[in-house]
Amino acid sequence: MLGLSALVVFAIIRSIRIIPQQKVAVIERLGKFLRVLNPGFHLIIPFVDRVRHLHDLRIQQADVPSQMVITKDNVQIKIDTVFFYFVHDAMAATYSIHDYVKGIINITAANIRQVVGNMELDETLAGREKISLYLRHSLEAATEKWGVNIERVEVIDIHPPIEIHNAMEKQMKAEREKRANILQAEGERQAAVLRADGEKQAEVLRAEGAKQAMILQAEGQKESNIRIAEGNQLSQELDAKGKGAAIKIIAGADKLKIETIAEAEKNRIEKIKSAEADPQFLTYKSLEALGEISKGQATTLFVPTEAVNVFSSIGSLSKIANTLNKQANIDEQNS
């Protein structure tokens, strides 16, 4: 009984299958493919069904051993590559090929020799992406029927011979020195250009400043000359106005003096007339007054009406002159 119970327990345990996430199991019944178990809890017939292979559906990585290949220019180099893949068909991956990882490695090695053999060393060193793309296309065409997808292929490293490596280092050193010299020369050229441009700008600014100074000086001189001319003109106008005013004042004073003398003489003559003096004597006195008036600076004379009437005839003037002479002699005798 105990043995039978143990056998039953063991059979129950063998009938239970729990498939983890991101994995699938290929089940065979009596050596023939039955089905694929997805993640989860499953029951199978013990001793009849069995798990042939448990596949991981996650992206897997496989390293390709270093490959010694010869380039187009007969340089032997060593290439290290790695590829990434995942299983998308568990049945095909189980029954289409015995070991799909080994098959992918062999195809990769063969295609590396083919693609690198058509490239020169420099092109190979600079063409990792080209090599990777070519290998991926070649692997996808072969692994599609295996139930495996190639995610990507990467060229990890390319190792040229030590002699080529040393020559490349010397070349890179010379190239770096060349670029350094070029950059230094370019920097010196740029510095010289900037200095020349700065000096040019300084000269232009100095010339512009001198020009502005001359313009301002000329404008100042012009303004000064205008002010001086305006001042002279104003001074001349003021002098002219002052002289005109003085002349008017003098003329007015002379006129007032003449009018005063004439008025006084008029009053004197009227008094003489009122005393019934001789007409000839009055005429003489008028001429005597005119003579006194003419001695002044005035240019205008006010002649009494009686004197003007005397000038009507020459004969009368002679008579008046004789009478005046006689009167003068009488006055001298009396004195």
PDB file of all heavy atoms in Angstrom, residues 17 56 76 110 240 323:
ATOM      1  N   ARG A  17       2.437  20.901 -14.511  1.00  0.00           N
ATOM      2  CA  ARG A  17       3.497  21.709 -15.130  1.00  0.00           C
ATOM      3  C   ARG A  17       3.120  23.201 -14.975  1.00  0.00           C
ATOM      4  O   ARG A  17       2.028  23.628 -15.393  1.00  0.00           O
ATOM      5  CB  ARG A  17       3.666  21.374 -16.615  1.00  0.00           C
ATOM      6  CG  ARG A  17       4.306  20.014 -16.852  1.00  0.00           C
ATOM      7  CD  ARG A  17       5.784  20.080 -16.444  1.00  0.00           C
ATOM      8  NE  ARG A  17       6.437  18.796 -16.679  1.00  0.00           N
ATOM      9  CZ  ARG A  17       6.555  17.833 -15.802  1.00  0.00           C
ATOM     10  NH1 ARG A  17       6.000  17.955 -14.601  1.00  0.00           N
ATOM     11  NH2 ARG A  17       7.198  16.720 -16.106  1.00  0.00           N
ATOM     12  N   ASP A  56      13.124  30.221 -23.837  1.00  0.00           N
ATOM     13  CA  ASP A  56      13.038  31.573 -23.249  1.00  0.00           C
ATOM     14  C   ASP A  56      12.703  32.556 -24.372  1.00  0.00           C
ATOM     15  O   ASP A  56      13.426  32.670 -25.361  1.00  0.00           O
ATOM     16  CB  ASP A  56      14.370  31.947 -22.588  1.00  0.00           C
ATOM     17  CG  ASP A  56      14.239  33.154 -21.671  1.00  0.00           C
ATOM     18  OD1 ASP A  56      13.303  33.970 -21.869  1.00  0.00           O
ATOM     19  OD2 ASP A  56      15.071  33.292 -20.755  1.00  0.00           O
ATOM     20  N   GLN A  76      45.657  41.290 -42.457  1.00  0.00           N
ATOM     21  CA  GLN A  76      44.941  40.349 -41.596  1.00  0.00           C
ATOM     22  C   GLN A  76      44.510  41.040 -40.306  1.00  0.00           C
ATOM     23  O   GLN A  76      45.325  41.631 -39.591  1.00  0.00           O
ATOM     24  CB  GLN A  76      45.826  39.145 -41.260  1.00  0.00           C
ATOM     25  CG  GLN A  76      45.096  38.040 -40.530  1.00  0.00           C
ATOM     26  CD  GLN A  76      45.990  36.839 -40.291  1.00  0.00           C
ATOM     27  OE1 GLN A  76      47.216  36.958 -40.313  1.00  0.00           O
ATOM     28  NE2 GLN A  76      45.395  35.684 -40.033  1.00  0.00           N
ATOM     29  N   ALA A 110      31.066  33.188 -41.352  1.00  0.00           N
ATOM     30  CA  ALA A 110      31.213  33.101 -42.810  1.00  0.00           C
ATOM     31  C   ALA A 110      30.941  34.438 -43.481  1.00  0.00           C
ATOM     32  O   ALA A 110      31.666  34.858 -44.398  1.00  0.00           O
ATOM     33  CB  ALA A 110      30.286  32.013 -43.353  1.00  0.00           C
ATOM     34  N   ALA A 240      24.220 155.567 -35.270  1.00  0.00           N
ATOM     35  CA  ALA A 240      23.468 156.376 -36.220  1.00  0.00           C
ATOM     36  C   ALA A 240      22.225 156.968 -35.568  1.00  0.00           C
ATOM     37  O   ALA A 240      21.894 158.144 -35.767  1.00  0.00           O
ATOM     38  CB  ALA A 240      23.079 155.523 -37.438  1.00  0.00           C
ATOM     39  N   THR A 323      20.040 205.366 -45.859  1.00  0.00           N
ATOM     40  CA  THR A 323      19.407 205.864 -44.640  1.00  0.00           C
ATOM     41  C   THR A 323      20.070 205.255 -43.425  1.00  0.00           C
ATOM     42  O   THR A 323      20.311 205.924 -42.409  1.00  0.00           O
ATOM     43  CB  THR A 323      17.913 205.535 -44.655  1.00  0.00           C
ATOM     44  OG1 THR A 323      17.319 206.039 -45.845  1.00  0.00           O
ATOM     45  CG2 THR A 323      17.229 206.092 -43.427  1.00  0.00           C
TER      46      THR A 323
END
